Amino acid sequence: MSAEEANDSVNRREDRISLQDRDGEITSHESPNINSGEEFNVTPWEVAGEVDYTKLIEKFGTSLIDETIVSKIHDLTGEIHPFLKNRFFFSHRDLDWILREYEKGNKFYLYTGRGPSGQVHLGHLMPWLFTKYLQDKFNVKLIFQITDDEKFLYSEHSNYDSICHYTYENILDIIAIGFDPNKTRIIINTRDINYLYKLSTEIAKRITFSTAKAVFGFTNSTNIGMIGFPPIQGAPCFLPSLIEGKSTPVLIPAAIDQDPYWRMTRDIAEKLGYPKPAQIHSKFIPGLVSGGKMSSSKPDTALFTVDDPETLETKVKNTFTGGQPTVALQRKLGGNANICPVYWYLNYLFDSEKESRRRYIDCTSGNLLCGECKDDMIKKVKPFMKEIQTKREEAQDMICKFTVDGKDLNNDNTIQF
Ligand code: TYM
């Protein structure tokens, strides 16, 4: 394919699925695996198959982030975050309402979270980096929930020793993101359940088993801990109204896998006298191997924040790509950037729009080899992770600034008589 044909191909691709950004430039929001026609399944616990985000929006009943919303965010904050510009954050529920309330002076809370099943990877960082941007730009408070109970209940082989270890490790990453300690509180479910329990029973009482089965896919063999868990993830949606003593909007930034929790919570919110929680959903950072998302329960798919430079380099070098089997074929036929994780890591996180467009053309026209993209990725990801590792070190002395009771983590909860 000549460079001109490749350019045409990019343009055709963008005609199909692009949105006009506010500067009039074309911003692609195509992403890996789009329109593959294959079956896929997205639940809070598993993402399987080739995700078609267009179909997912229809299936979940969410809304595409459109130009009006992006312009409104630009007007309110003075900028558009790259994750919005490149439509890594692509879908929402009631984000327009959140922005209208904000304009009226009714400030929202942010709410996001982590299930500590392993070390934090590049995919987890994406919603958190975006949450930090929202906190800074809108100057709002954040509740960060750690669902250690969920991870214990979900996996047959889990135990609380390892979950406690990862809770601590993951909190270092969360603090390393740079959230404002005066405006951020981390709630660890098994430690801080007293802040959530009453609210979660209010939610649980209004959700039948048949609804839970329909929303989460529970079956007769699901353990009853998992069946009872969702209201505990729903509870922080209403906590801000209790903290503020008035109806307080909540915006949840997360990848779209968490949406079933919010569908359930939104359903009963008004019955309980609280506003429905709003969401802004991201796509998934793909894994290092072919197909599926980056996942901490599948360590060979992930670049972790604790990986040393050599490990990062080896992992990137071994990553699946959209390239041809030989250099000669790559030069002749060009690569398939659409299915290439390395292309998407660079697109989502490190390349400018212009660089990404150039990379797409060069790859698909055979002018760029996979090794060259991998070298670019290695050059970018090493210092990126190094900076997080330095901040994780500093975070060790900051945990008590983020806990709900201002105390350090303490696993000793024996009862004293
Ligand atoms: P968890 O720990 O599975 O994931 C934490 C956050 O990372 C997102 N995520 C990803 N984003 C992009 N690419 C990926 N490959 C990827 N993998 C995971 C998740 O969507 C999530 O935002 N039950 C939750 C914890 C939780 C929570 C919340 C999350 C409790 N309350 C409120 C979001 C909002 C969980 O286990 O997330």
Side-chain angles (χ1 to χ4, degrees):
M1 194 191 291
S2 70
E4 212 169 86
E5 282 165 335
N7 213 342
D8 270 4
S9 151
V10 172
N11 290 338
R12 277 200 304 278
R13 159 181 169 260
E14 287 177 341
D15 282 349
R16 263 188 289 130
I17 41 145
S18 66
L19 297 176
Q20 204 79 13
D21 79 18
R22 62 174 290 112
D23 303 315
E25 289 168 303
I26 299 290
T27 304
S28 166
H29 79 112
E30 186 174 8
S31 56
N33 316 327
I34 282 271
N35 294 334
S36 64
E38 287 184 36
E39 286 300 311
F40 63 94
N41 189 32
V42 175
T43 77
W45 308 290
E46 196 194 13
V47 175
E50 311 278 297
V51 180
D52 180 330
Y53 291 103
T54 314
K55 280 196 191 146
L56 197 58
I57 279 197
E58 274 170 39
K59 191 171 161 193
F60 281 7
T62 66
S63 306
L64 195 67
I65 291 181
D66 62 15
E67 210 33 52
T68 320
I69 288 195
V70 175
S71 299
K72 175 62 76 190
I73 293 176
H74 184 274
D75 293 346
L76 292 171
T77 66
E79 67 174 77
I80 310 173
H81 191 280
F83 295 172
L84 260 183
K85 209 168 188 185
N86 64 16
R87 295 302 197 275
F88 181 69
F89 276 83
F90 72 111
S91 153
H92 76 103
R93 291 183 190 272
D94 283 345
L95 178 58
D96 43 349
W97 170 74
I98 286 276
L99 299 174
R100 283 199 301 277
E101 287 299 302
Y102 180 82
E103 277 186 300
K104 285 190 241 160
N106 192 11
K107 267 196 178 183
F108 57 91
Y109 268 52
L110 291 163
Y111 163 40
T112 196
R114 162 76 181 137
S117 56
Q119 294 288 1
V120 160
H121 61 60
L122 201 61
H124 302 127
L125 295 178
M126 305 293 283
W128 302 350
L129 291 167
F130 191 68
T131 304
K132 151 103 177 117
Y133 148 83
L134 293 172
Q135 179 174 64
D136 289 349
K137 290 292 162 187
F138 289 94
N139 188 23
V140 288
K141 293 178 185 157
L142 162 67
I143 291 182
F144 206 115
Q145 183 182 42
I146 306 284
T147 53
D148 52 350
D149 47 351
E150 177 194 23
K151 293 299 156 176
F152 174 71
L153 291 164
Y154 178 67
S155 163
E156 211 181 307
H157 306 293
S158 63
N159 61 69
Y160 270 123
D161 282 346
S162 103
I163 287 172
C164 277
H165 168 71
Y166 288 125
T167 295
Y168 174 77
E169 288 287 312
N170 294 179
I171 285 176
L172 298 183
D173 291 286
I174 293 162
I175 295 174
I177 297 285
F179 294 117
D180 180 346
N182 297 317
K183 292 201 168 64
T184 305
R185 289 293 171 268
I186 299 175
I187 296 184
I188 304 164
N189 285 356
T190 60
R191 176 186 189 269
D192 304 316
I193 192 65
N194 51 324
Y195 297 94
L196 303 176
Y197 191 59
K198 207 168 164 190
L199 265 177
S200 74
T201 56
E202 292 271 12
I203 299 170
K205 193 172 174 175
R206 285 159 182 90
I207 294 169
T208 63
F209 182 40
S210 93
T211 301
K213 278 200 283 192
V215 175
F216 296 100
F218 296 144
T219 65
N220 281 352
S221 54
T222 309
N223 76 60
I224 60 170
M226 277 308 286
I227 293 165
F229 170 75
I232 298 176
Q233 183 155 328
C237 298
F238 305 143
L239 207 50
S241 292
L242 297 184
I243 297 169
E244 298 296 322
K246 64 175 177 137
S247 177
T248 304
V250 167
L251 175 63
I252 307 171
I256 196 160
D257 58 338
Q258 299 298 310
D259 188 70
Y261 285 110
W262 323 129
R263 232 177 297 149
M264 172 203 77
T265 314
R266 285 168 62 85
D267 225 32
I268 50 88
E270 281 164 348
K271 284 183 209 151
L272 292 176
Y274 298 112
K276 291 183 179 186
Q279 286 92 55
I280 180 159
H281 305 115
S282 78
K283 297 171 185 168
F284 304 109
I285 286 280
L288 302 170
V289 295
S290 168
K293 67 160 192 155
M294 194 173 279
S295 165
S296 49
S297 56
K298 295 180 191 146
D300 57 333
T301 67
L303 297 172
F304 293 106
T305 60
V306 294
D307 283 342
D308 59 38
E310 293 70 39
T311 308
L312 288 169
E313 184 160 342
T314 309
K315 282 184 174 178
V316 174
K317 283 195 169 148
N318 292 332
T319 302
F320 163 83
T321 69
Q324 300 293 343
T326 64
V327 171
L329 278 175
Q330 176 84 1
R331 293 278 184 226
K332 190 170 163 212
L333 304 173
N336 183 350
N338 291 330
I339 60 152
C340 179
V342 179
Y343 172 77
W344 288 106
Y345 301 150
L346 288 161
N347 172 283
Y348 289 147
L349 255 170
F350 299 122
D351 278 351
S352 68
E353 259 180 88
K354 205 169 149 205
E355 286 165 338
S356 191
R357 181 184 290 262
R358 185 75 254 159
R359 187 181 300 284
Y360 189 92
I361 294 169
D362 287 347
C363 164
T364 52
S365 61
N367 286 327
L368 191 64
L369 300 177
C370 298
E372 296 173 87
C373 284
K374 286 181 172 180
D375 284 346
D376 289 345
M377 176 65 185
I378 290 165
K379 269 188 219 128
K380 300 279 173 149
V381 80
K382 277 189 186 172
F384 177 81
M385 291 302 199
K386 176 83 196 112
E387 195 183 337
I388 292 175
Q389 286 164 11
T390 307
K391 291 188 175 150
R392 285 178 101 255
E393 293 269 320
E394 294 161 11
Q396 290 176 10
D397 299 325
M398 293 167 68
I399 293 175
C400 61
K401 294 188 180 165
F402 288 88
T403 51
V404 272
D405 55 9
K407 292 184 186 161
D408 268 320
L409 300 191
N410 176 5
N411 296 330
D412 177 19
N413 47 11
T414 48
I415 296 173
Q416 307 284 330
F417 282 99

